[in-house]
Amino acid sequence: MQIDRNAQTRKWVFPLCLLLAALYLLLCTKSSPFYPLNDWVDANIYFTIGKGMMHGRVPYVDLYDQKGPVAFLLFGLASLVSGTSFFGVYLLETLALAGFLYAAYRTISLFTERAVWALPIIAACVLGSMSFSHGGSFEELMAPLIAFSLFDSIRYFKTEFPKPVSLGMIARNAALAGVLLFGKFTLLAFYIAWMGMIAIALLCVREWKRAIGASALFVAVMAAMGIPWVIYFGLNGALDDFFHYYFYQNMFGYSYLEDPVWLNMILAVVKGVGAFFYRNPQISVPILLGFVWLLSRKSEQVKPVEKINLIALFGLLSVGVYMGGQGYRYYGLALTPFLALGLIPILHLFDLIAQKPLRTKIRVLLFAGVTLIALGTAFLTSSNRYLFLTPRESTPQARFAEIMRREKTQDEISLFCYAFPDAGFYLAADVIPAYRFFATSNVGLPEIGQEQGRYLEERSAEFIVTRNRDETPEGYRVLDTQIFWSEGYDDEFRLFQRAN
């Protein structure tokens, strides 16, 4: 097998990844300017809290959700680009996808010099999948981190082991693990396998000091990534809230498993991975092909430790993703870095068949053709396509925002979305909610319903939005009703204004 030894010097590859990412995402994510809005509740919750952070609000204390602060920070930075649209999120997704594609390129380059041909195919497989739902999921944004760590792990065991692992490699991957620790800590299962495999492999070749030292460095750097968050929440008097709502509630308040927990956890993981593979054949087939090909190689081509490492990384990551008993379609995006493995045998086959190199012009034309075909395929299979080029003013969010601006009796719009997740109404109206529990959550905290009921009784918001509820809140009058199709069914949104 040939190794691309010039991968790091090809400075044109990442700009190409950036161009491909921007192009594919224009058509396939609801965050794109070609879409009226991203109505996905998770992305809007991230955005609302992140925007609040940029204006002095403190997560968990002033605006609640159970997600990690890294997610809020990323969307908060995106809100600085545009506070009333997801254009900043589109840019964020573009950077994430470009990093993901570049990491995939680096991984495939360990086996073949034709890795660049995989880029449009990988982009199409991910963005055209069912799991790429709406756009802007945390798994999507963290996939490049996992992809880079996957590359580092494969490269080390392929080209360096049994030499001691470099501490620089340990430190940079520990920093990536630290981002996940304070973003979505269940994904740390991947890094448990990542560091565990290196430590065990070093112990097997009697590199005791490096195994212990590397493990200690990994934990130290990963934990150190939390220092800025401890300072931030400490200065805002919210350290207890941070640990309680992010760590404690996610560990003990978010599981859907019944006794016996361990058996049901195993079943949940198997069911979750199986459902992901079934729903996304353009991802699952390459992953399976890559594993079959690599695991079937002779030991002089792919060492046994490389094979064990890949199984451990994929297996532990799958456990982290699905161990809670939930299987939302976007969860599986965390597994997509392994998709690159499936392109290796396909491109390696071309290495064996195509002996004569093509001329540069022909290569460029062929690559452009592959890109256009893959782009068209991704768009046609995208689950987001139904909103493409829909006028923004036709959405309930934009219509309600216009009515509120016209009918308001105060200088600023006062809005509360009652008993449903954030669906973009705060975004459209350019409102940072004054309510801690501004939206419902997957974690069943009793105080959410209690506090939201109190907000309604106090009539503190001039405007109320409800979803699929027939009753009119006491002291309010209905202004408008809109039907909006999303995720397979119609939602009825109603806008109310406080009666004088």
Side-chain angles (χ1 to χ4, degrees), residues 459-479:
R459 300 172 59 208
S460 54
E462 181 176 7
F463 296 99
I464 299 287
V465 174
T466 64
R467 184 184 71 178
N468 300 328
R469 300 178 71 92
D470 295 330
E471 69 273 18
T472 298
E474 185 177 352
Y476 286 85
R477 61 187 180 90
V478 65
L479 292 181

Short mmCIF file of all heavy atoms in Angstrom, two decimals, residues 459-479:
data_model
loop_
_atom_site.label_atom_id
_atom_site.label_comp_id
_atom_site.label_asym_id
_atom_site.label_seq_id
_atom_site.Cartn_x
_atom_site.Cartn_y
_atom_site.Cartn_z
N ARG A 459 -48.77 36.92 33.80
CA ARG A 459 -48.98 37.72 32.58
C ARG A 459 -47.86 38.74 32.39
O ARG A 459 -48.08 39.86 31.95
CB ARG A 459 -50.33 38.43 32.64
CG ARG A 459 -51.54 37.49 32.76
CD ARG A 459 -52.82 38.27 33.01
NE ARG A 459 -53.07 39.22 31.93
CZ ARG A 459 -53.76 40.36 32.09
NH1 ARG A 459 -54.25 40.67 33.28
NH2 ARG A 459 -53.97 41.17 31.07
N SER A 460 -46.64 38.33 32.69
CA SER A 460 -45.52 39.27 32.59
C SER A 460 -45.08 39.51 31.15
O SER A 460 -44.49 40.55 30.85
CB SER A 460 -44.33 38.74 33.40
OG SER A 460 -43.99 37.43 33.00
N ALA A 461 -45.35 38.55 30.26
CA ALA A 461 -45.01 38.73 28.85
C ALA A 461 -46.19 39.33 28.10
O ALA A 461 -47.33 38.87 28.26
CB ALA A 461 -44.61 37.40 28.23
N GLU A 462 -45.93 40.31 27.26
CA GLU A 462 -47.02 40.88 26.47
C GLU A 462 -47.50 39.89 25.42
O GLU A 462 -48.70 39.83 25.11
CB GLU A 462 -46.57 42.18 25.79
CG GLU A 462 -47.70 42.82 24.98
CD GLU A 462 -47.33 44.16 24.38
OE1 GLU A 462 -46.13 44.56 24.47
OE2 GLU A 462 -48.22 44.81 23.81
N PHE A 463 -46.57 39.09 24.88
CA PHE A 463 -46.94 38.14 23.83
C PHE A 463 -46.62 36.71 24.27
O PHE A 463 -45.58 36.45 24.90
CB PHE A 463 -46.18 38.45 22.53
CG PHE A 463 -46.52 39.79 21.94
CD1 PHE A 463 -45.68 40.87 22.16
CD2 PHE A 463 -47.66 39.95 21.18
CE1 PHE A 463 -45.98 42.11 21.62
CE2 PHE A 463 -47.97 41.19 20.63
CZ PHE A 463 -47.14 42.28 20.86
N ILE A 464 -47.51 35.80 23.92
CA ILE A 464 -47.36 34.37 24.20
C ILE A 464 -47.50 33.61 22.89
O ILE A 464 -48.38 33.90 22.08
CB ILE A 464 -48.43 33.86 25.19
CG1 ILE A 464 -48.33 34.59 26.53
CG2 ILE A 464 -48.33 32.35 25.38
CD1 ILE A 464 -47.14 34.19 27.36
N VAL A 465 -46.62 32.62 22.70
CA VAL A 465 -46.75 31.70 21.57
C VAL A 465 -46.95 30.30 22.13
O VAL A 465 -46.25 29.89 23.06
CB VAL A 465 -45.52 31.73 20.65
CG1 VAL A 465 -45.63 30.66 19.56
CG2 VAL A 465 -45.35 33.10 20.01
N THR A 466 -47.90 29.56 21.57
CA THR A 466 -48.12 28.17 21.97
C THR A 466 -48.06 27.28 20.73
O THR A 466 -48.19 27.76 19.60
CB THR A 466 -49.49 27.98 22.65
OG1 THR A 466 -50.53 28.26 21.71
CG2 THR A 466 -49.63 28.88 23.86
N ARG A 467 -47.88 25.99 20.98
CA ARG A 467 -47.83 25.01 19.89
C ARG A 467 -48.80 23.87 20.17
O ARG A 467 -48.73 23.24 21.23
CB ARG A 467 -46.41 24.45 19.72
CG ARG A 467 -46.26 23.49 18.55
CD ARG A 467 -44.87 22.89 18.48
NE ARG A 467 -44.63 21.94 19.56
CZ ARG A 467 -43.49 21.25 19.70
NH1 ARG A 467 -42.51 21.43 18.85
NH2 ARG A 467 -43.35 20.40 20.70
N ASN A 468 -49.71 23.63 19.24
CA ASN A 468 -50.66 22.52 19.33
C ASN A 468 -51.45 22.52 20.64
O ASN A 468 -51.67 21.48 21.26
CB ASN A 468 -49.92 21.17 19.17
CG ASN A 468 -49.20 21.06 17.84
OD1 ASN A 468 -49.65 21.61 16.84
ND2 ASN A 468 -48.08 20.36 17.83
N ARG A 469 -51.88 23.71 21.06
CA ARG A 469 -52.71 23.85 22.26
C ARG A 469 -53.95 24.67 21.87
O ARG A 469 -53.84 25.72 21.23
CB ARG A 469 -51.97 24.55 23.39
CG ARG A 469 -50.71 23.81 23.85
CD ARG A 469 -50.00 24.57 24.94
NE ARG A 469 -50.76 24.52 26.19
CZ ARG A 469 -50.57 23.58 27.12
NH1 ARG A 469 -49.67 22.62 26.94
NH2 ARG A 469 -51.27 23.59 28.24
N ASP A 470 -55.13 24.18 22.27
CA ASP A 470 -56.38 24.84 21.88
C ASP A 470 -56.80 25.96 22.82
O ASP A 470 -57.49 26.89 22.41
CB ASP A 470 -57.52 23.80 21.82
CG ASP A 470 -57.30 22.78 20.72
OD1 ASP A 470 -56.67 23.15 19.71
OD2 ASP A 470 -57.73 21.62 20.89
N GLU A 471 -56.38 25.88 24.10
CA GLU A 471 -56.87 26.84 25.07
C GLU A 471 -56.21 28.21 24.89
O GLU A 471 -55.08 28.33 24.42
CB GLU A 471 -56.65 26.35 26.50
CG GLU A 471 -55.19 26.30 26.95
CD GLU A 471 -54.50 25.00 26.59
OE1 GLU A 471 -55.02 24.26 25.70
OE2 GLU A 471 -53.43 24.72 27.16
N THR A 472 -56.95 29.24 25.27
CA THR A 472 -56.44 30.61 25.28
C THR A 472 -56.02 30.97 26.69
O THR A 472 -56.82 30.86 27.62
CB THR A 472 -57.51 31.60 24.80
OG1 THR A 472 -57.86 31.30 23.44
CG2 THR A 472 -56.99 33.04 24.87
N PRO A 473 -54.77 31.37 26.90
CA PRO A 473 -54.33 31.74 28.25
C PRO A 473 -55.19 32.87 28.81
O PRO A 473 -55.59 33.80 28.09
CB PRO A 473 -52.88 32.21 28.03
CG PRO A 473 -52.45 31.56 26.75
CD PRO A 473 -53.67 31.48 25.91
N GLU A 474 -55.49 32.77 30.08
CA GLU A 474 -56.34 33.76 30.72
C GLU A 474 -55.67 35.13 30.67
O GLU A 474 -54.49 35.28 30.99
CB GLU A 474 -56.61 33.37 32.17
CG GLU A 474 -57.59 34.29 32.88
CD GLU A 474 -57.89 33.82 34.29
OE1 GLU A 474 -57.46 32.70 34.66
OE2 GLU A 474 -58.55 34.58 35.03
N GLY A 475 -56.46 36.12 30.28
CA GLY A 475 -55.94 37.48 30.19
C GLY A 475 -55.26 37.80 28.87
O GLY A 475 -54.64 38.85 28.74
N TYR A 476 -55.37 36.90 27.89
CA TYR A 476 -54.76 37.11 26.59
C TYR A 476 -55.82 36.96 25.49
O TYR A 476 -56.84 36.31 25.67
CB TYR A 476 -53.63 36.11 26.34
CG TYR A 476 -52.38 36.39 27.13
CD1 TYR A 476 -52.24 35.92 28.44
CD2 TYR A 476 -51.34 37.14 26.59
CE1 TYR A 476 -51.09 36.18 29.17
CE2 TYR A 476 -50.18 37.40 27.31
CZ TYR A 476 -50.07 36.92 28.60
OH TYR A 476 -48.93 37.19 29.33
N ARG A 477 -55.53 37.54 24.34
CA ARG A 477 -56.39 37.40 23.17
C ARG A 477 -55.54 36.90 22.00
O ARG A 477 -54.36 37.26 21.87
CB ARG A 477 -57.05 38.73 22.82
CG ARG A 477 -56.07 39.85 22.47
CD ARG A 477 -56.79 41.19 22.29
NE ARG A 477 -55.85 42.26 21.97
CZ ARG A 477 -55.48 42.61 20.75
NH1 ARG A 477 -55.99 41.96 19.71
NH2 ARG A 477 -54.63 43.60 20.54
N VAL A 478 -56.13 36.08 21.15
CA VAL A 478 -55.39 35.51 20.03
C VAL A 478 -55.23 36.55 18.93
O VAL A 478 -56.16 37.29 18.60
CB VAL A 478 -56.10 34.24 19.51
CG1 VAL A 478 -57.46 34.57 18.92
CG2 VAL A 478 -55.22 33.53 18.48
N LEU A 479 -54.04 36.60 18.37
CA LEU A 479 -53.75 37.51 17.27
C LEU A 479 -53.65 36.79 15.93
O LEU A 479 -54.05 37.32 14.89
CB LEU A 479 -52.44 38.27 17.52
CG LEU A 479 -52.41 39.28 18.66
CD1 LEU A 479 -51.03 39.93 18.72
CD2 LEU A 479 -53.48 40.36 18.47
#
